[in-house]
Amino acid sequence: MSFREGGGANGIGGSRKVAAMEMELEEAAPVLDSGEKRLNELGYKQELRREMTFLKILGITFSSMAVFVGTPLYGPSLRYAGPASLIWGWPVVVFFTWFVGVAMSEICSSFPTTGSLYFWAAHLAGPRWGPFASWCCAWLETIGLVSGVGAQAYSASQSLQMIILLATGTNTGGGYYASRGVFLSMYIGFTLIWATLNTFALEVIAFFGIISMWWQVIGGLVVIIMLPLVAQQTQPASFVFTHFQTSPESTGISSKPYAIIMSVLLSNYCLYGYDSAAHLTEETKGADRTGPFAILSSIGIISVFGWAYNLALTFSIKDFDYLYDENNETGGALVPAQIIYDAFYGRYHNSAGAVVFLCIIWGSFFFCGLAVTTSAARVIYALSRDNGIPFSPIWRKLHPKSKVPVNAVWLCAAISIILGLPILKMDVVFTAILSISTVGWVGGYAVPIFARLVMEERNFKPGPFYLGRARRPICLVAFLWIGYTCSAFLLPTSYPIRLKTFNYAPVALAVCMGLVMLWWVLDARKWFKGPVRNIEVDSSSQHC
């Protein structure tokens, strides 16, 4: 009995020692991040620094959407059909945007990779159609994001143009109105600044993203709350929510349905860009959960703030027709600037407050352009990693210390600058760049969502965010809504169609995608097989 007790005691003591040693080893061994684990299962090794938290990725994603991003489109959208369609169009677009965001969140949860959309398309479309789906999606996404940098550079330049004009005396008081050459210089300057900042470690961009989020939340609240309070003369609720009027004399559009579609373009443009969270998933902790949460959180915040901003502007209108007068204080160039100026001048008889508010709006464009440049560079990097771009070895090169795709950053900047050169001769550059950006960017969403809609469920490995049986109706609504949005941005924006007012986005997109498809037929289909694994894993038990 004593022996058994002694032996038992020794056995128990030995077991405890072994267990303690195993616990120490487990604690000492690094725990593999869930996003990195899934990345390895998909055939990629961790190359980028995975140090982004939810707050940081939300800051960058929120910056890509931005509270004031629709400011340049507010005036044209208001003129097409009056305030009622503009105001009520926003919640309608928000409703359908949630379908797209939820569909993308599910896919992001399963595929937390930097390649995001085109990577998703390749795996969801299967081995037969995967390479072609990936090719189409990759180039749509690339065109959309790179031209998106140009759209933000134009918006930031226009805001700065208004700030300088009002700060130096207004259009009617001898203020300085930047010429086309100066405007282009500002456009190029912003693009170069964003590229330079993006050559630093992602932590720097994340820091700006946090600043951006608070800048837009606090600044947004200030503008939304204070503008109607400052305005001495405001519009009644009946005007804001029920007044409908077309302006065929200025737009050439007398059809009410057509005018409504044009009026809602503001909302369509503002409510996308949330895929930025997906582009940064290889640099995010717990990306299979953090990515989807950031996508949905960004949509929710912008939905509320964006509508409130449109309401604040519309309630604060002093004289509807005067907003578009080329002889007004802002030269009729930026309607929200005139609304803000009228409010402050009417109460304080100076433009100082208007300049401050426009600086808040300008900051939103600056941070948005910085974030879009980050996303664009990641897409270029991911596509070049899979040999999908000419001279791919150059663009996929990472900086040895910061682990940032510096060459991809500067490629995005160079293309964006080239897109802006027609500013010197044409007035419709912003409309074209904006349309190209929206169709390319949002069109890229459609490919993986359609593939998810038609694929066999048994071939899909869900992540933590999973729709289950709801995925088919959600993906169907999302796909149809994307199709509508892209079609709307390709329509002529004014009649009769003339060279100075022609929306050349359909032509530019047709040429670009035509060349891409020709490249595919003649050459790329022979060697482009979609995402290229850089590690080998046991795939016998894996799907997608």
Side-chain angles (χ1 to χ4, degrees), residues 119-184:
F119 187 99
W120 303 348
H123 284 262
L124 295 172
R128 180 180 179 184
W129 292 103
F132 180 67
S134 179
W135 179 261
C136 295
C137 185
W139 280 102
L140 280 171
E141 190 178 9
T142 300
I143 291 170
L145 277 165
V146 174
S147 56
V149 178
Q152 296 312 309
Y154 191 102
S155 299
S157 300
Q158 190 177 44
S159 298
L160 184 57
Q161 183 185 47
M162 290 296 104
I163 291 170
I164 296 172
L165 177 63
L166 295 183
T168 56
T170 77
N171 184 52
T172 58
Y176 176 73
Y177 188 86
S179 63
R180 289 179 182 270
V182 174
F183 191 99
L184 179 61

Side-chain angles (χ1 to χ4, degrees), residues 70-138:
T71 299
L73 270 181
Y74 176 85
S77 296
L78 182 67
R79 196 170 199 177
Y80 281 118
S85 61
L86 185 150
I87 294 301
W88 290 116
W90 185 274
V92 171
V93 174
V94 167
F95 174 77
F96 287 106
T97 297
W98 276 106
F99 283 88
V100 182
V102 169
M104 291 182 63
S105 295
E106 184 200 40
I107 304 172
C108 179
S109 184
S110 179
F111 301 104
T113 67
T114 292
S116 60
L117 301 182
Y118 88 91
F119 187 99
W120 303 348
H123 284 262
L124 295 172
R128 180 180 179 184
W129 292 103
F132 180 67
S134 179
W135 179 261
C136 295
C137 185

Side-chain angles (χ1 to χ4, degrees), residues 269-339:
Y269 175 64
C270 295
L271 290 165
Y272 77 96
Y274 37 86
D275 61 304
S276 295
H279 300 310
L280 300 171
T281 46
E282 285 187 36
E283 299 163 86
T284 304
K285 299 175 182 177
D288 50 350
R289 290 178 173 83
T290 306
F293 192 30
I295 289 173
L296 299 178
S297 298
S298 298
I299 294 175
I301 296 171
I302 293 297
S303 297
V304 174
F305 273 82
W307 199 43
Y309 175 54
N310 291 337
L311 285 170
L313 286 173
T314 309
F315 270 109
S316 303
I317 292 174
K318 181 180 178 180
D319 184 339
F320 183 88
D321 294 326
Y322 186 63
L323 296 176
Y324 301 94
D325 189 341
E326 294 183 357
N327 297 315
N328 66 19
E329 288 78 7
T330 58
L334 188 63
V335 166
Q338 185 64 41
I339 294 173

Side-chain angles (χ1 to χ4, degrees), residues 31-43:
V31 178
L32 190 64
D33 180 272
S34 60
E36 183 177 347
K37 180 180 179 182
R38 179 58 177 151
L39 184 69
N40 293 343
E41 291 174 357
L42 293 168

Side-chain angles (χ1 to χ4, degrees), residues 32 68 92 138 163 179 259 324 338 363 368 401 403 452 513 516:
L32 190 64
F68 304 110
V92 171
I163 291 170
S179 63
Y324 301 94
Q338 185 64 41
C368 183
K401 292 184 179 180
K403 297 299 180 182
R452 178 74 181 104
M513 292 308 297
V516 168

Side-chain angles (χ1 to χ4, degrees), residues 121-303:
H123 284 262
L124 295 172
R128 180 180 179 184
W129 292 103
F132 180 67
S134 179
W135 179 261
C136 295
C137 185
W139 280 102
L140 280 171
E141 190 178 9
T142 300
I143 291 170
L145 277 165
V146 174
S147 56
V149 178
Q152 296 312 309
Y154 191 102
S155 299
S157 300
Q158 190 177 44
S159 298
L160 184 57
Q161 183 185 47
M162 290 296 104
I163 291 170
I164 296 172
L165 177 63
L166 295 183
T168 56
T170 77
N171 184 52
T172 58
Y176 176 73
Y177 188 86
S179 63
R180 289 179 182 270
V182 174
F183 191 99
L184 179 61
S185 298
M186 292 190 289
Y187 176 100
I188 295 173
F190 285 126
T191 305
L192 295 177
I193 290 171
W194 294 333
T196 301
L197 290 174
N198 267 282
T199 60
F200 298 103
L202 190 60
E203 277 293 307
V204 175
I205 305 302
F207 174 74
F208 278 107
I210 299 297
I211 295 176
S212 170
M213 187 166 61
W214 289 111
W215 177 284
Q216 295 190 71
V217 169
I218 297 174
L221 287 173
V222 169
V223 173
I224 290 165
I225 295 172
M226 292 300 298
L227 183 58
L229 294 177
V230 170
Q232 288 185 314
Q233 181 180 340
T234 57
Q235 296 295 330
S238 59
F239 173 82
V240 175
F241 293 107
T242 65
H243 185 68
F244 178 89
Q245 70 173 67
T246 58
S247 302
E249 68 284 350
S250 59
T251 65
I253 298 173
S254 56
S255 168
K256 291 182 179 180
Y258 199 139
I260 292 173
I261 290 173
M262 291 292 101
S263 181
V264 177
L265 287 182
L266 166 69
S267 306
N268 293 125
Y269 175 64
C270 295
L271 290 165
Y272 77 96
Y274 37 86
D275 61 304
S276 295
H279 300 310
L280 300 171
T281 46
E282 285 187 36
E283 299 163 86
T284 304
K285 299 175 182 177
D288 50 350
R289 290 178 173 83
T290 306
F293 192 30
I295 289 173
L296 299 178
S297 298
S298 298
I299 294 175
I301 296 171
I302 293 297
S303 297

